[in-house]
Amino acid sequence: MTTTTQISQEQQVTTGATIWLTGLPSAGKTTIAYELAGQLRDEGHRVEVLDGDEIREFLSSGLGFSREDRDTNVQRIGFLAELLSRNGVKALVPVIAPYADSREAVRKRHRTGGTPYLEVHVATPVEVCSVRDVKGLYAKQAAGEISGLTGVDDPYEEPASPDLRIESHTQSVQESAAALHALLTERGLA
């Protein structure tokens, strides 16, 4: 028996794409990704959320937070996202990816493979992120317990021309996900 939210194999939408959500820690990237993932699944899309924290735990556990290690982590995630995307999955990637050249290398990998790629900047100011402080990182940095926090004492290179800029501090999660869904629709991906 199927419910209205269950979609049969024949009804699944199989156009893949990578949607990379970049921004500071606690910007709202993962929350928006999961909200959008639910909407896309309800429409019959195959969707995976490649959460940066989970990737670090399972695929990049030996990496630290040096620039080289961060680049390696981003390239691993980019490879996995492109693999999923070219096989009909919407890969939602809420990962900080602080360096523009790392993000551009991922975009180039997708372009070379002919796989759709969208870069979304979740542009939440550091002051708002530090109040949200979902993982307690800003408090730990302020207390001197950690260093190298992206956007505070380690660089974050904002995208110069993302496909979409979301200011999550001025709208709800649902509104942010709706703006991203509208972009996917406009590009023929939803």
Side-chain angles (χ1 to χ4, degrees):
M1 176 185 276
T2 37
T3 65
T4 55
T5 58
Q6 292 176 320
I7 307 294
S8 71
Q9 286 282 12
E10 297 78 35
Q11 293 173 307
Q12 279 195 335
V13 181
T14 57
T15 302
T18 294
I19 300 95
W20 197 290
L21 294 92
T22 179
L24 296 174
S26 297
K29 302 176 299 295
T30 303
T31 305
I32 294 167
Y34 278 108
E35 178 71 22
L36 179 62
Q39 292 174 15
L40 292 172
R41 284 188 186 108
D42 286 348
E43 294 171 2
H45 297 271
R46 294 169 39 193
V47 180
E48 290 295 333
V49 177
L50 302 180
D51 182 288
D53 293 331
E54 291 175 359
I55 297 290
R56 275 221 176 251
E57 182 179 349
F58 295 106
L59 294 179
S60 297
S61 62
L63 296 178
F65 291 91
S66 68
R67 181 176 179 127
E68 181 180 358
D69 284 354
R70 288 176 193 240
D71 285 342
T72 299
N73 186 49
V74 167
Q75 295 316 304
R76 286 178 182 177
I77 297 168
F79 172 80
L80 180 57
E82 199 275 332
L83 179 68
L84 289 168
S85 296
R86 76 175 127 103
N87 284 284
V89 176
K90 300 283 187 308
L92 304 178
V93 186
V95 173
I96 296 169
Y99 304 112
D101 57 348
S102 293
R103 294 190 305 266
E104 184 54 34
V106 171
R107 181 186 295 274
K108 184 177 179 181
R109 168 184 291 283
H110 283 73
R111 190 180 308 124
T112 299
T115 309
Y117 176 88
L118 299 174
E119 183 178 70
V120 178
H121 180 205
V122 182
T124 309
V126 69
E127 298 80 20
V128 174
C129 294
S130 66
V131 170
R132 289 179 181 171
D133 204 8
V134 177
K135 299 172 197 157
L137 297 174
Y138 293 93
K140 288 179 182 178
Q141 190 276 337
E145 295 173 25
I146 63 169
S147 62
L149 181 59
T150 302
V152 178
D153 59 353
D154 208 56
Y156 176 73
E157 299 170 356
E158 290 189 8
S161 56
D163 295 283
L164 179 66
R165 192 174 312 279
I166 293 175
E167 296 187 8
S168 71
H169 60 292
T170 65
Q171 58 191 26
S172 70
V173 171
Q174 293 76 19
E175 290 169 330
S176 296
L180 184 44
H181 191 280
L183 175 65
L184 292 173
T185 302
E186 175 187 308
R187 301 283 174 92
L189 299 170

